[in-house]
């Protein structure tokens, strides 16, 4: 359970880092603003025409008597909008990272240089178009996984009591996991860590991931908050990626491996992934 607090501290440290680097924060806001406009438009369409869609999709209920027809279709309309909102939260990070790939790559590199004992950062040897392709491909795979979970949780939401208590909690934990995967991917892809290895890393530290991603997912439900938290979330995820790979920082060197946000790094640890993880030979 200690990792829950550690993950949350990484989220706070990332926000503090961008607060000290105003120029990076300003550039990091642009992709989120673009994505926000797109998602708000989509949710407005869903809110305005969602009831019409439900009516079209349920012709078998046309002859139902009042109030059952209104209650049934009203419930489905609410659930449809809730599903759209959940999918927005699950996919917002992926779309924003894809749009802002050059912005967030630069921000993540600067975080690495700032905390690295020798002031260096791992650099990808792939051209920009290849990085965008890999990022888009992996993001699509994550979105498909997230959609499967979303549909499953949506169905379980109809189960009495569990659907109103346990399912929402699981939903936020799932959201937090996938948010963290997308955010740490910025730093891990630059190190050549492929998607399967990234998922293995995160599954090995689930409580750390939930401590970072679940509060972020909850915050993303508040309108406009996601835009302002994204730069700091990328910075915090970069710091957490270093922890996951056991990379040393200036802070851990100075404190003998026991400083920072409660990380598990030890002095002298290599900055490259361990052999079981393996680099991605794209």
């Amino acid at each position: 359970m200690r990792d829950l607090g550690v993950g949350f501290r990484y989220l706070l440290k990332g926000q503090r880092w961008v607060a000290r680097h105003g120029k990076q924060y300003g550039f990091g806001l642009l992709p989120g603003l673009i994505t926000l406009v797109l998602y708000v438009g989509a949710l407005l369409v869903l809110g305005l025409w969602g009831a019409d869609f439900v009516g079209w999709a349920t012709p078998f209920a046309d002859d139902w008597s009042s109030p059952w027809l209104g209650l049934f279709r009203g419930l489905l309309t609410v659930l449809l909008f809730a599903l759209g909102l959940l999918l927005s939260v699950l996919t917002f990070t992926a779309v924003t990272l894809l749009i802002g790939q050059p912005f967030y790559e630069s921000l993540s590199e600067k975080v690495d240089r700032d905390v690295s004992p020798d002031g260096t950062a791992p650099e990808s040897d792939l051209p920009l178009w290849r990085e965008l392709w890999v990022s888009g491909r992996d993001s699509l795979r994550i979105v498909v996984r997230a959609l499967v979970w979303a549909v499953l949780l949506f169905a379980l939401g109809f189960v009495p009591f569990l659907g109103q208590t346990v399912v929402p909690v699981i939903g936020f934990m799932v959201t937090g996991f996938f948010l963290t995967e997308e955010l740490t991917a910025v730093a891990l892809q630059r190190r050549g860590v492929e998607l399967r290895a990234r998922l293995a890393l995160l599954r090995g530290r689930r409580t750390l991931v939930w401590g970072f991603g679940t509060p972020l997912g909850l915050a993303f439900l508040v309108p406009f908050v996601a835009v302002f938290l994204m730069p700091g979330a990328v910075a915090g995820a970069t710091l957490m990626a270093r922890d996951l790979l056991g990379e040393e920082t200036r802070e851990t060197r100075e404190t003998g491996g026991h400083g920072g946000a409660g990380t598990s790094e030890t002095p002298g640890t290599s900055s490259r992934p361990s052999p079981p993880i393996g680099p991605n030979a794209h």
Side-chain angles (χ1 to χ4, degrees):
M1 297 301 291
R2 174 178 171 271
D3 266 354
L4 283 173
V6 175
F8 185 67
R9 285 197 291 275
Y10 277 127
L11 182 59
L12 295 180
K13 289 184 74 172
Q15 301 304 323
R16 288 198 297 267
W17 190 93
V18 295
R20 296 194 305 268
H21 300 78
K23 184 177 180 180
Q24 294 301 314
Y25 180 66
F27 279 119
L29 290 177
L30 295 177
L33 288 171
I34 295 171
T35 309
L36 178 66
V37 171
L38 296 176
Y39 274 66
V40 168
L43 289 174
L44 283 175
V45 169
L46 190 60
L48 291 173
W49 287 285
D52 294 337
F53 174 78
V54 169
W56 171 81
T58 57
F60 58 85
D62 288 341
D63 298 329
W64 289 12
S65 60
S66 179
W68 305 116
L69 176 61
L71 289 174
F72 174 69
R73 286 181 170 169
L75 176 62
L76 287 182
T77 301
V78 171
L79 290 175
L80 178 64
F81 188 83
L83 178 61
L85 189 61
L86 175 61
L87 292 179
S88 297
V89 174
L90 288 173
T91 60
F92 182 90
T93 303
V95 175
T96 303
L97 289 173
L98 186 60
I99 293 174
Q101 178 80 10
F103 296 92
Y104 296 135
E105 281 285 351
S106 175
L107 189 154
S108 179
E109 283 188 26
K110 285 181 170 58
V111 173
D112 269 323
R113 294 183 191 281
D114 188 47
V115 302
S116 175
D118 57 3
T120 62
E123 295 182 3
S124 173
D125 57 357
L126 299 177
L128 178 59
W129 71 269
R130 181 66 175 169
E131 289 184 1
L132 290 173
W133 164 255
V134 172
S135 177
R137 182 198 63 190
D138 290 350
S139 292
L140 181 60
R141 292 175 178 174
I142 291 298
V143 167
V144 170
R145 285 177 168 86
L147 286 175
V148 172
W149 273 100
V151 172
L152 176 62
L153 294 172
F154 178 75
L156 291 176
F158 291 98
V159 178
F161 183 70
L162 290 178
Q164 294 74 46
T165 54
V166 177
V167 172
V169 174
I170 296 176
F172 282 117
M173 294 173 70
V174 170
T175 300
F177 182 90
F178 286 120
L179 280 176
T180 305
E181 195 290 324
E182 289 288 349
L183 289 164
T184 53
V186 177
L188 294 177
Q189 283 178 350
R190 194 158 30 86
R191 290 162 166 81
V193 184
E194 62 182 9
L195 177 59
R196 184 176 298 179
R198 296 200 302 268
L199 291 173
L201 278 172
L202 296 177
R203 287 168 184 155
R205 301 282 299 277
R206 281 188 176 90
T207 52
L208 177 72
V209 170
W210 290 332
F212 181 90
T214 302
L216 189 63
L218 288 168
F220 277 14
L221 291 176
V222 181
F224 308 112
V225 167
V227 174
F228 297 101
L229 292 184
M230 271 297 292
V234 172
T238 300
L239 296 173
M240 190 167 71
R242 297 183 67 93
D243 182 356
L244 290 170
L245 295 177
E247 294 181 2
E248 187 181 22
T249 66
R250 292 177 184 176
E251 196 169 9
T252 56
R253 173 173 289 185
E254 293 170 357
T255 59
H258 300 287
T263 64
S264 59
E265 299 103 323
T266 55
T269 302
S270 171
S271 62
R272 303 181 64 86
S274 57
I277 298 171
N280 182 17
H282 296 297

